[in-house]
């Protein structure tokens, strides 16, 4: 019997490296990456009323209203068997709705990074609008001059705004963590992205192995 596909949540403070690690995880494990922040930014780009409303909250570093995000995430998850969910849930109510819709993760990855490093990471972050790839002016340089010329910062990546995002994160984090204690793996996130991925890869490989063993028994 085939093992069930993996369902993973990745969580951590703003700029802790969630998006960067998701690129590496999807490359190796082929999971579909669903990012709450990316869903909201796509909604903003579509010019919809919901997008305009979400942007008001994002600019203040606050959580976008559940009415906007809960259905979007539900629809995105429903289309997939396995998934890598990034930046969701961020509140008790989001965790409850996820559970109510029957989406149960196998592993909850928590990236732990000290706050002073987070601010440095946010300020130097740049995105490639063509590929969506994440870069950093000090830690993750673009491969070519052509890419360097088109890199853009994110609208909420100022020192002032990241401090607000951090406050929101610190206010909500405990409520979310308490729901996933038994499946949480804590990852030391203040080392190179390859070293961070090494730790995640180890936890995921263990999970895959357990899955394969129990699938072959049944
Ligand atoms: P979202 O887009 O999810 O932003 P965030 O949580 O603040 O996280 P980031 O995307 O800023 O960082 P990241 O952890 O992905 O780090 P990255 O890999 O880019 O959310 C934005 C907003 O949307 C929220 O503020 C909120 O308003 C709203 N929202 C989102 N989810 C919501 C929800 N569930 N409910 C309600 N509202 C929601 O890395 C950062 C930088 O560091 C990059 O430049 C990267 O190159 C560099 N870097 C990464 N890893 C390393 C490393 N190991 N060493 C050195 N540099 C590194």
């Amino acid at each position: 019997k085939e093992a069930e596909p993996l369902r993973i949540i990745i969580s951590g403070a703003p700029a802790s490296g969630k998006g960067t690690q998701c690129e590496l995880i999807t490359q190796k494990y082929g999971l579909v990456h669903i990012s709450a922040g990316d869903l909201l930014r796509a909604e903003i780009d579509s010019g919809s009323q919901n997008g305009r409303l979400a942007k008001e909250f994002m600019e203040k570093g606050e959580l976008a209203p559940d009415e906007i995000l809960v259905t979007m995430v539900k629809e995105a998850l429903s289309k997939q068997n396995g998934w890598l969910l990034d930046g969701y849930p961020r509140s008790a109510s989001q965790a409850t709705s996820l559970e109510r819709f029957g989406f149960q993760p196998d592993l909850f990855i928590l990236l732990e990074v000290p706050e002073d490093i987070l601010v440095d990471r946010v300020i130097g972050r740049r995105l490639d609008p063509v590929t969506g790839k994440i870069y950093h002016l000090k830690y993750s340089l673009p491969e070519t001059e052509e890419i360097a010329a088109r890199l853009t910062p994110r609208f909420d990546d100022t020192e002032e705004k990241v401090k607000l995002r951090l406050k929101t994160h610190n206010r909500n984090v405990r409520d979310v963590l308490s729901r996933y204690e038994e499946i949480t793996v804590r990852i030391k996130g203040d080392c190179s992205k390859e070293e961070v991925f090494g730790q995640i890869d180890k936890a995921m490989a263990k999970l895959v192995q357990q899955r394969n063993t129990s699938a072959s028994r049944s």
Side-chain angles (χ1 to χ4, degrees):
K1 194 182 143 199
E2 285 259 317
E4 282 275 299
L6 295 176
R7 299 178 183 102
I8 312 281
I9 291 180
I10 185 159
S11 161
S16 55
K18 300 182 292 294
T20 300
Q21 293 305 317
C22 285
E23 281 178 15
L24 299 171
I25 296 169
T26 50
Q27 268 166 30
K28 175 148 184 188
Y29 290 90
L31 293 171
V32 176
H33 176 208
I34 298 170
S35 151
D38 287 350
L39 288 175
L40 290 169
R41 283 183 286 276
E43 197 63 35
I44 295 175
D45 290 344
S46 80
S48 72
Q49 177 64 29
N50 273 349
R52 277 193 291 277
L53 183 62
K55 193 171 183 189
E56 283 177 27
F57 286 84
M58 291 163 82
E59 287 194 316
K60 288 185 279 180
E62 287 170 15
L63 295 183
D66 278 1
E67 302 85 83
I68 296 177
L69 200 53
V70 167
T71 319
M72 273 164 69
V73 172
K74 182 187 172 208
E75 281 173 4
L77 291 176
S78 305
K79 292 189 199 129
Q80 311 299 337
N81 273 323
W83 35 259
L84 172 60
L85 182 56
D86 165 3
Y88 192 97
R90 288 197 207 212
S91 63
S93 68
Q94 290 178 3
T96 302
S97 68
L98 208 55
E99 205 180 315
R100 191 155 14 93
F101 296 136
F103 298 115
Q104 183 59 39
D106 306 302
L107 188 67
F108 186 93
I109 298 170
L110 176 65
L111 298 178
E112 297 188 301
V113 179
E115 291 204 358
D116 52 333
I117 294 183
L118 296 174
V119 174
D120 195 36
R121 284 191 187 175
V122 157
I123 293 168
R125 170 168 44 196
R126 296 293 181 276
L127 301 177
D128 180 349
V130 176
T131 61
K133 214 175 152 202
I134 307 161
Y135 294 93
H136 193 283
L137 297 179
K138 272 194 273 178
Y139 310 124
S140 189
L141 298 169
E143 296 84 354
T144 64
E145 283 291 321
E146 194 188 344
I147 300 174
R150 66 186 185 219
L151 292 184
T152 46
R154 230 168 71 179
F155 71 86
D156 54 352
D157 272 356
T158 61
E159 181 163 358
E160 178 206 357
K161 283 182 182 151
V162 75
K163 289 199 166 141
L164 297 172
R165 278 153 62 196
L166 263 170
K167 255 194 188 159
T168 304
H169 170 78
N170 291 337
R171 198 165 51 233
N172 292 305
V173 65
R174 244 166 274 120
D175 280 352
V176 175
L177 291 185
S178 63
R179 304 289 191 99
Y180 300 106
E181 258 162 13
E182 278 152 34
I183 54 162
T184 295
V185 52
R186 288 175 183 266
I187 301 292
K188 191 174 140 17
D190 57 344
C191 37
S192 75
K193 66 177 182 182
E194 292 78 17
E195 284 170 298
V196 177
F197 180 64
Q199 300 172 61
I200 294 177
D201 193 17
K202 217 168 130 190
M204 288 189 60
K206 195 171 149 196
L207 180 65
V208 170
Q209 202 191 5
Q210 284 166 354
R211 288 300 196 78
N212 289 341
T213 313
S214 57
S216 64
R217 276 204 205 107
S218 57

